[in-house]
Amino acid sequence: MALRTNSSGHFLRILALFTVGCISFVPVLRAQQPLHAAAAKPAKPVDKPKLVVLLVVDQMRADYVEKFGFQWTGGLLRLVTEGAWFRDAAYPYAATETCVGHATISTGSFPATHGMVANAWLDRKEQKMVTCTSDPDPSVKNLGYAGATPKGADTAWRMAVPSFAEELKFQTGGSTRIVSFSLKARAALTMAGHKADAATWFDGGAWVTSSPYGVQISIEEQAKAHPPKADYGKTWSLSLPEKSYWYGQKALGAVAPKGWDLTFPHPLRGESGSGEPDAAFYQQWTSSPYADTALTELAKKAVDALHLGNAAGTDFLAIGYSTVDYVGHEFGPRSREIQDILIRLDKDLGDLFAHLDQKVGRGNYVVALSADHGVAPTPEDMQTTGADAGLLHLSELQAKIEKALEPFHFAKPAVAQVSGSDIYFAVGVYDKMRQDHAAMQAVYDAALSQPGVSAVYRAEELANRPATQSPAVRAFALSFFPGRSGDLFILPKPYWLLDGTPTGIARTYGTGHGVPYNYDQHVPVLLMGFGIQSGEYLQSVTPADIAPTLAALCGITLAPRDGHILSEALKTADPSSRKRERR
Ligand SMILES: [Zn+2]
């Protein structure tokens, strides 16, 4: 535990040489050697990576690497010790949500460019909330694997620019195969792009895709042979002895999935324990390490079946690991559950990399790992420090604004929707407010009277990326996309959680994310493998830099310039090879 205070910035590398942590004093490299020695193939010289692997861990805070990394022995450790580790990576924008982060990583641009401004927003034309992947095209339909019949239609059509993977396929004559997996549609689809050879996610107890993306035989076989319900009856227990964990048995402010206690062990038996998987079982499953393992197995199967990394071009494999997000929402970042699920994910990634070493060849593929956002501590936990923390009740905020506008006789209701930080007014109301100083002031006064509100911003302050000294205005401006973003924006005070739970109902989660504070913005950026210069890098970067860096490795060009190439982490070419190329 004392090791966490090591501030040299090199503790993981040092530990890799000496110790695996406070429990088992086994050298890490010894633990790694069988994995690598068995799997490694001599790397043959190639000009471009044979495979690009994009890994996005939903809700993984950057400080998890610093705090928990000393216990890792698998793929996460390998990324940190063999790869390029950017320790000061953060999103510069306000909308730190899943769809937004995955789209930023995949396109190399910010939401002001790619248009995925939230997981869901108000469609002003239809006057209804739409998810970022919902596709109104009647010819699009979600398709289920292993006999599942999913509802809805999801694609990446709302993403305003192509993904890196799409550009790679387009610019290399179509030789790239694009395959992506996640528990969430908004992760799998944004990472893949508008079309792909396979984009698979989990919905209603089954693996699904949609009609513009291919149905793959290998995924069908895996879905049939290893359905999630086969994990019914398993129990998630602590991986390490109790004294290895940073936090107490019960996380303060946690809200467990139905059927689970707030303490380990967590049995996957649904709500009733009747022996049959129910909705609660699938919620438990997506909050357990078994879902990450299932995703890893699906990916390995696709690598084998499609011979990814063994064809003419550079292939693309993306995996969005979502369980950390579910567990973080339920138990918070200061929980044994978060520490343990990362220990399990580290093992899954070790397994994945060993498989790729064997099938693609070590050094022939490049891996990028990041997260879509971080997370705040639960307000109850933060309050124990004496800090000002709490719940910002959005339903109360909405009612106050509605009441404040009553004397002005605008449409009723005047507020159409409050969604996270975004306030949308009914058709025509905001235009009238802009002409009526007293009405605008009344709304500001009402919003600022709500406990937890720090500031209010207007859409017209944020459009066209204004030059500003204000970090908050800049953050909201980088998230602003005309037509999709709200009319007004609420900045909560630090450690005040935006809570959309209706008044009088108990909240169903422990904590959340979505605001422009470092606990939501600061995430890991790790690169490893083909063309990557190992090391620790302390300069400020953003996850939008990943796609341009991968593009540089693959010799293609991306349209947006929000991100930049992490050139410090790229190996420079041997000058003699350049001469040969010129001839
Ligand atoms: Zn989340």
Side-chain angles (χ1 to χ4, degrees), residues 59 98 325 329 373 513:
Q59 205 193 96
T98 296
D325 184 65
H329 279 296
H373 53 74
H513 50 82

Side-chain angles (χ1 to χ4, degrees), residues 115-126:
M116 297 299 228
V117 293
N119 289 342
W121 56 82
L122 184 77
D123 183 322
R124 286 183 166 87
K125 199 167 153 219
E126 301 287 330

Side-chain angles (χ1 to χ4, degrees), residues 269-484:
R269 286 200 292 271
E271 195 174 3
S272 62
S274 64
E276 280 300 311
D278 55 10
F281 161 75
Y282 288 111
Q283 192 193 352
Q284 294 165 354
W285 187 75
T286 55
S287 300
S288 81
Y290 303 110
D292 284 343
T293 303
L295 273 177
T296 308
E297 292 303 317
L298 272 175
K300 284 162 60 183
K301 183 89 176 176
V303 167
D304 294 351
L306 298 172
H307 306 287
L308 294 181
N310 283 289
T314 301
D315 290 321
F316 177 83
L317 168 67
I319 312 176
Y321 286 103
S322 317
T323 59
V324 174
D325 184 65
Y326 293 122
V327 171
H329 279 296
E330 289 151 0
F331 295 94
R334 289 162 41 89
S335 63
R336 291 182 173 188
E337 282 77 6
I338 280 291
Q339 188 172 351
D340 198 77
I341 204 150
L342 288 165
I343 291 168
R344 308 300 191 105
L345 179 62
D346 167 63
K347 288 188 170 48
D348 282 325
L349 292 182
D351 204 30
L352 176 71
F353 297 157
H355 195 77
L356 295 176
D357 287 347
Q358 203 173 34
K359 298 298 172 82
V360 184
R362 192 170 182 159
N364 286 344
Y365 62 94
V366 60
V367 181
L369 181 143
S370 191
D372 51 353
H373 53 74
V375 71
T378 64
E380 293 83 355
D381 205 5
M382 201 62 208
Q383 283 162 355
T384 63
T385 69
D388 181 25
L391 292 171
L392 198 171
H393 295 290
L394 296 175
S395 56
E396 287 179 15
L397 173 78
Q398 182 168 348
K400 280 184 183 173
I401 295 174
E402 195 66 46
K403 195 164 190 321
L405 282 174
E406 270 176 12
F408 298 93
H409 306 293
F410 297 156
K412 272 193 173 181
V415 182
Q417 189 78 40
V418 176
S419 179
S421 290
D422 295 41
I423 300 174
Y424 297 87
F425 290 92
V427 178
V429 169
Y430 190 65
D431 285 341
K432 287 181 185 161
M433 283 167 57
R434 289 174 63 184
Q435 307 298 326
D436 188 334
H437 177 75
M440 188 68 85
Q441 190 61 49
V443 168
Y444 263 64
D445 291 344
L448 290 167
S449 74
Q450 178 64 30
V453 174
S454 168
V456 182
Y457 300 105
R458 300 164 59 161
E460 55 272 30
E461 289 179 83
L462 310 175
N464 302 316
R465 303 201 190 189
T468 173
Q469 292 290 314
S470 162
V473 171
R474 180 170 183 267
F476 279 105
L478 289 175
S479 300
F480 184 82
F481 195 83
R484 292 183 182 176

